């Protein structure tokens, strides 16, 4: 047995290295796919909470309803962000917390009547002034920016297969 190991040491070493490399690639792919799945869930929860408002308003909604919907979305999005935060690397958590707090503050301070006035009377705007609606859209975009990762084909297939929505077109 010892003679076999000594004579075939280079073959065994290469086999061991290839096995270790294959394990690393499999683990890395698993982590990417798990993160992609969580990103899709977080993005869906945010867009569901802001349905009809974000990214654009397609049907007329009275400003008071928009304000109410924005205020009602804060706890849902904070809950989704708390669940999503667990899957982030530690060096991204503090930035994500600041972004979540920024969204919460912006959503509380957004008044859609001021946004409409900002659009209707552009001559009353100060130079460099940003409308409340644009500030809100920017806050939501920043919240979702961390999920804008290029998904590989493998992770796309895995997520769709995992969610039982896989189909070959």
């Amino acid at each position: 047995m010892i003679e076999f190991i000594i004579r075939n040491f280079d073959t065994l070493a290469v086999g061991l290295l290839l096995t270790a490399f294959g394990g690393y690639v499999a683990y890395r792919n698993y982590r990417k796919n798990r993160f992609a799945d969580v990103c899709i869930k977080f993005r869906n929860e945010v867009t569901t909470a802001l349905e009809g408002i974000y990214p654009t308003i397609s049907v007329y909604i009275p400003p008071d309803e928009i304000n109410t919907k924005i205020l009602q979305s804060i706890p849902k999005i904070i809950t989704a962000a708390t669940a999503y935060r667990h899957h982030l690397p530690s060096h991204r958590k503090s930035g994500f917390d600041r972004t979540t707090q920024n969204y919460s503050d912006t959503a509380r301070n957004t008044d859609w009547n001021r946004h409409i006035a900002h659009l209707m009377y552009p001559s009353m705007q100060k130079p460099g002034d940003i409308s409340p609606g644009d500030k809100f859209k920017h806050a939501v975009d920043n919240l979702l920016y961390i999920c804008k990762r290029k998904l590989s084909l493998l992770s796309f297939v895995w997520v769709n297969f995992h969610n039982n929505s896989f189909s070959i077109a």
Side-chain angles (χ1 to χ4, degrees), residues 38-39 41-47 49 73-88 96 100 143-144 147:
V38 172
C39 277
K41 285 181 183 176
F42 178 68
R43 179 175 288 280
N44 287 340
E45 288 183 25
V46 170
T47 54
S73 73
I74 294 172
K76 295 175 189 174
I77 291 177
I78 296 294
T79 304
T82 304
Y84 176 70
R85 183 184 188 275
H86 172 69
H87 297 281
L88 290 174
F96 185 70
T100 305
L143 191 63
L144 295 177
C147 285

Side-chain angles (χ1 to χ4, degrees), residues 54-142:
Y54 179 82
T56 57
I57 298 175
S58 57
V59 179
Y60 175 75
I61 302 173
D64 294 335
E65 286 184 32
I66 294 174
N67 290 336
T68 305
K69 192 164 190 169
I70 289 173
L71 289 175
Q72 288 175 349
S73 73
I74 294 172
K76 295 175 189 174
I77 291 177
I78 296 294
T79 304
T82 304
Y84 176 70
R85 183 184 188 275
H86 172 69
H87 297 281
L88 290 174
S90 59
H91 66 278
R92 288 190 178 177
K93 287 183 180 179
S94 63
F96 185 70
D97 290 342
R98 283 192 305 269
T99 304
T100 305
Q101 185 62 39
N102 180 33
Y103 168 78
S104 178
D105 294 342
T106 304
R108 280 190 186 93
N109 296 329
T110 299
D111 183 15
W112 213 256
N113 289 320
R114 286 189 0 214
H115 172 67
I116 292 172
H118 194 274
L119 296 177
M120 289 179 67
Y121 303 108
S123 60
M124 296 178 65
Q125 299 172 10
K126 297 176 185 172
D129 199 14
I130 301 172
S131 74
D134 292 340
K135 287 179 185 177
F136 177 73
K137 185 177 183 318
H138 184 68
V140 176
D141 287 342
N142 284 341

Side-chain angles (χ1 to χ4, degrees), residues 1-12:
M1 180 72 170
I2 298 280
E3 291 176 11
F4 177 76
I5 293 174
I6 292 172
R7 274 187 278 147
N8 298 318
F9 181 75
D10 55 347
T11 306
L12 293 172

Side-chain angles (χ1 to χ4, degrees), residues 133-167:
D134 292 340
K135 287 179 185 177
F136 177 73
K137 185 177 183 318
H138 184 68
V140 176
D141 287 342
N142 284 341
L143 191 63
L144 295 177
Y145 178 75
I146 204 157
C147 285
K148 288 186 180 180
R149 242 181 131 176
K150 291 184 180 177
L151 300 177
S152 66
L153 177 63
L154 206 76
S155 54
F156 175 73
V157 169
W158 184 85
V159 167
N160 287 327
F161 182 74
H162 181 67
N163 294 335
N164 297 327
S165 64
F166 184 73
S167 63

